[in-house]
Amino acid sequence: MLRIHFIHKYVHVNVLCIDLQAWSSQSSNLTDYSLPNSSWSEDMMDEFKKFMEMCEDKTWRRIPSHRYLEKNISGKVWRGKVPQEEEEGEKKKETRFFCRNIDGEGLGFEYVMFFNQSEKRVVCIFQPGDYLESYAGLVHGGCIATILDNAFTACVVAVAGRGFVVNLNVNYKSPIRLGSVVLVDSKIEKMEGRKMFLSGQVRSKDGQTLHADATALLILSDSKNSSRL
């Protein structure tokens, strides 16, 4: 069993646009990359349809996903216009969220996340593309850690507001093949002040294979947000 331990020193969560009430974000004209495209496999579509059906009674909500941050759950702007302009007169600098930084459908992180408020839980349906390769045909461990980090952060943002990952522990159990579909399940376990403790697993679509498990600690950026948990 391989084990990896990451410590992040206040890594800014520089994109997560959450709209829990709509099929796609109606407050934005940005492309929503959490909707189906031609690269999605039959397994990916099956899981997507299953979760969309569970959204009908409002128990679950799909989380839209963009390349740039626009608004958080309260509608307040997190940062300036995109692309950002560092100084007046300088050439505009384009930035992209890491999990949505690859042009071309199906080459990188293909995923969609669903949020359950009562369970304080996010499930991410993840189909890794060819640009995430490590050994031949297998997903790089750093990419597995990234999608876990993404799910943990989405869960905290949806429940309590903007947070920062300060500790992430990942235990790798079984390799993931490129193009396969796995479920990344994350949940808030407890909160102590501004500290949010989470657990997560990466499992095969049928739930029979555990690919990785993980824990994370996130710190809320504003202690006033903690009352929302």
Side-chain angles (χ1 to χ4, degrees):
M1 179 185 72
L2 297 177
R3 186 172 184 274
I4 190 166
H5 178 208
F6 290 95
I7 297 179
H8 299 266
K9 284 291 186 180
Y10 293 94
V11 179
H12 184 60
V13 182
N14 62 352
V15 64
L16 268 175
C17 181
I18 311 288
D19 180 354
L20 303 179
Q21 301 299 324
W23 171 269
S24 62
S25 175
Q26 298 182 12
S27 65
S28 170
N29 58 3
L30 300 176
T31 300
D32 186 351
Y33 290 93
S34 69
L35 294 175
N37 63 57
S38 60
S39 75
W40 284 22
S41 66
E42 184 176 343
D43 285 345
M44 184 80 169
M45 285 301 306
D46 286 346
E47 289 300 314
F48 178 79
K49 292 174 183 176
K50 182 176 76 175
F51 273 89
M52 287 304 299
E53 289 175 1
M54 292 193 293
C55 289
E56 292 178 2
D57 65 358
K58 308 300 183 182
T59 303
W60 291 85
R61 296 290 186 271
R62 183 182 65 84
I63 302 177
S65 179
H66 309 288
R67 279 184 171 167
Y68 312 111
L69 175 65
E70 185 185 40
K71 295 178 179 179
N72 67 6
I73 210 169
S74 66
K76 295 179 181 178
V77 176
W78 283 13
R79 73 176 191 189
K81 295 180 180 180
V82 178
Q84 290 177 298
E85 189 168 352
E86 294 181 343
E87 293 182 13
E88 186 176 354
E90 282 195 6
K91 186 178 180 180
K92 289 184 178 181
K93 178 182 178 182
E94 180 181 287
T95 60
R96 291 185 180 183
F97 177 46
F98 183 71
C99 290
R100 298 297 188 190
N101 69 347
I102 297 176
D103 290 320
E105 295 175 348
L107 296 176
F109 293 87
E110 288 292 341
Y111 68 92
V112 54
M113 294 189 287
F114 292 87
F115 171 64
N116 185 308
Q117 175 69 45
S118 63
E119 297 180 5
K120 299 179 180 64
R121 178 182 171 204
V122 163
V123 173
C124 173
I125 309 168
F126 175 41
Q127 178 183 295
D130 289 349
Y131 284 9
L132 307 186
E133 187 177 54
S134 176
Y135 292 110
L138 302 179
V139 180
H140 193 285
C143 300
I144 299 171
T146 296
I147 202 67
L148 279 161
D149 184 296
N150 198 27
F152 286 142
T153 302
C155 193
V156 167
V157 169
V159 170
R162 184 171 58 174
F164 302 86
V165 177
V166 296
N167 185 276
L168 175 63
N169 290 281
V170 182
N171 298 306
Y172 296 100
K173 305 289 188 178
S174 178
I176 299 174
R177 293 203 169 274
L178 296 174
S180 64
V181 174
V182 296
L183 300 180
V184 183
D185 197 337
S186 63
K187 183 178 181 179
I188 296 176
E189 297 290 350
K190 66 176 181 177
M191 187 181 100
E192 296 177 358
R194 293 169 57 203
K195 295 180 180 180
M196 309 288 285
F197 296 87
L198 297 94
S199 66
Q201 292 185 337
V202 182
R203 287 189 174 272
S204 57
K205 178 176 175 287
D206 61 10
Q208 297 302 304
T209 303
L210 176 63
H211 295 289
D213 60 38
T215 58
L217 169 62
L218 282 84
I219 305 295
L220 297 180
S221 61
D222 186 346
S223 59
K224 291 184 291 184
N225 289 330
S226 62
S227 62
R228 298 180 56 185
L229 181 59

